[in-house]
């Protein structure tokens, strides 16, 4: 693994890139022997910087939950990142485009916990019992690194993405909240519109066969670090559509049928 001095230095690079809205080179170009544990160590160091600055953790996100995406990047499990309170936007509201460099957006389900979840033996049944309600959500993705190296043309790796807080930047929560046992979560579907045209469709079974599995995985993944999912946290369970590119002025609308809708506009 990387030494702590290097980990902290790379976390500061990410912090500076976010604050200046600039892109840095992917870490694996400079440190090709990095492993996933290095990436999460950088993410935790970056998170500590944010907490020192006064940001407040409000939840977590899970990514790379589909088998197709895992196979594409050569991993066998999802990844995760941290959600801060200042990342949350209201349904049907406006979002300042200048906050981002090159945002993309995905359709998800958000689990709001009424009781804590701890690993290492957390199951899908524990997740369903601990969840107060589930609600539609949009995740806004951002990168603080080049997606493709400007010189070598090599793409970033999952290790780079994990270091970069799993590419998370913001989210919008809306729609109609519902209790997790009131519906078959696997069959919750959504139509994703951009400027009135359908860009993507999907159902939640695309997330590890059932979106609650990802929440259990995360609780178990956090346990070795002495961390857990706290009561009141919002956990994004993973996308069941591909991410679509966003430009200034775009209006995004996700229709979840009987579970309502969630929308936003980038201004």
């Amino acid at each position: 693994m990387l030494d702590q001095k290097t980990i902290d230095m790379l976390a500061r690079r990410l912090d500076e890139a976010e604050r200046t809205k600039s892109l840095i080179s992917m870490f694996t170009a400079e440190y090709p022997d990095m492993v996933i544990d290095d990436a999460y160590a950088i993410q935790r160091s970056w998170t500590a910087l944010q907490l020192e600055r006064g940001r407040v953790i409000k939840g977590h996100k899970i990514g790379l939950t589909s088998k197709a995406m895992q196979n594409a990047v050569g991993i066998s499990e999802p990844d995760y990142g941290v959600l801060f309170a200042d990342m949350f936007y209201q349904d049907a509201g406006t979002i300042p485009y200048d906050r981002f460099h090159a945002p993309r957006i995905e359709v998800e389900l958000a689990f709001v916990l009424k009781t804590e979840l701890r690993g290492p033996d957390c199951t899908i049944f524990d997740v369903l019992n601990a969840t107060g309600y589930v609600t539609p959500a949009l995740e806004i993705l951002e990168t603080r690194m080049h997606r493709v190296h400007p010189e070598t043309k090599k793409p970033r790796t999952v290790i780079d993405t994990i270091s970069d807080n799993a590419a998370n930047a913001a989210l919008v929560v809306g729609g109609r909240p519902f209790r997790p046992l009131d519906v078959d979560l696997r069959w919750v579907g959504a139509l994703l519109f951009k400027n009135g045209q359908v860009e993507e469709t999907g159902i939640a079974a695309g997330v590890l066969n059932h979106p609650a599995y990802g929440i259990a995985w995360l609780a178990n993944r956090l346990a070795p670090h002495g961390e857990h999912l706290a009561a009141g946290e919002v956990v994004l369970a993973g996308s069941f559509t591909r991410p679509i590119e966003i430009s200034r002025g775009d209006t995004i609308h996700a229709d979840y049928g009987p579970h309502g809708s969630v929308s936003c506009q980038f201004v």
Side-chain angles (χ1 to χ4, degrees):
M1 287 185 64
L2 299 176
D3 61 77
Q4 192 61 48
K5 181 178 179 180
T6 302
I7 287 167
D8 292 340
M9 178 269 293
L10 295 176
R12 288 192 296 272
R13 280 194 201 173
L14 281 172
D15 181 59
E16 178 69 14
E18 181 178 41
R19 289 190 292 111
T20 60
K21 302 298 177 292
S22 57
L23 293 181
I24 59 176
S25 178
M26 59 277 287
F27 294 156
T28 53
E30 188 174 351
Y31 300 94
D33 295 328
M34 279 180 64
V35 296
I36 285 180
D37 284 346
D38 292 320
Y40 281 119
I42 294 167
Q43 185 188 122
R44 287 192 295 274
S45 180
W46 176 84
T47 299
L49 288 174
Q50 311 313 303
L51 294 176
E52 289 174 6
R53 200 167 285 128
R55 299 180 80 178
V56 176
I57 293 177
K58 192 172 179 179
H60 286 79
K61 67 146 292 184
I62 305 167
L64 297 177
T65 49
S66 74
K67 282 298 180 185
M69 287 300 297
Q70 289 177 14
N71 292 338
V73 299
I75 62 171
S76 59
E77 66 175 21
D79 67 359
Y80 67 86
V82 178
L83 301 177
F84 292 101
D86 60 6
M87 292 177 170
F88 285 69
Y89 286 93
Q90 292 185 345
D91 181 26
T94 57
I95 299 176
Y97 186 79
D98 287 341
R99 175 172 178 170
F100 313 103
H101 183 274
R104 298 183 295 166
I105 202 161
E106 296 177 331
V107 164
E108 312 217 0
L109 289 176
F111 286 61
V112 183
L113 302 181
K114 62 183 178 182
T115 57
E116 68 176 25
L117 281 171
R118 290 182 181 269
D121 301 311
C122 184
T123 69
I124 184 175
F125 307 108
D126 297 322
V127 172
L128 296 174
N129 286 331
T131 301
Y133 59 90
V134 180
T135 188
L138 296 168
E139 182 186 4
I140 301 165
L141 302 173
E142 175 69 303
T143 179
R144 273 64 62 166
M145 299 180 187
H146 292 287
R147 293 179 192 166
V148 177
H149 194 283
E151 296 175 3
T152 67
K153 306 305 178 184
K154 290 183 178 180
R156 65 180 178 179
T157 71
V158 66
I159 291 174
D160 298 305
T161 303
I162 291 171
S163 302
D164 194 14
N165 197 34
N168 176 258
L171 68 156
V172 185
V173 178
R176 181 176 69 80
F178 54 92
R179 290 186 294 270
L181 295 178
D182 286 351
V183 300
D184 186 344
L185 289 173
R186 299 173 306 150
W187 289 98
V188 174
L191 311 174
L192 180 59
F193 294 81
K194 181 169 77 170
N195 302 327
Q197 294 188 333
V198 175
E199 293 278 342
E200 279 291 319
T201 65
I203 61 170
V207 179
L208 299 174
N209 301 323
H210 191 296
Y213 277 121
I215 314 297
W217 170 85
L218 177 56
N220 293 328
R221 191 69 169 77
L222 292 173
H225 303 288
E227 302 172 3
H228 68 282
L229 299 174
E233 278 204 42
V234 178
V235 185
L236 288 176
S239 175
F240 47 96
T241 64
R242 70 173 179 89
I244 63 172
E245 305 286 342
I246 299 300
S247 299
R248 189 189 303 275
D250 284 345
T251 296
I252 302 299
H253 177 81
D255 182 355
Y256 285 74
H259 306 296
S261 63
V262 57
S263 63
C264 61
Q265 183 180 31
F266 291 83
V267 297

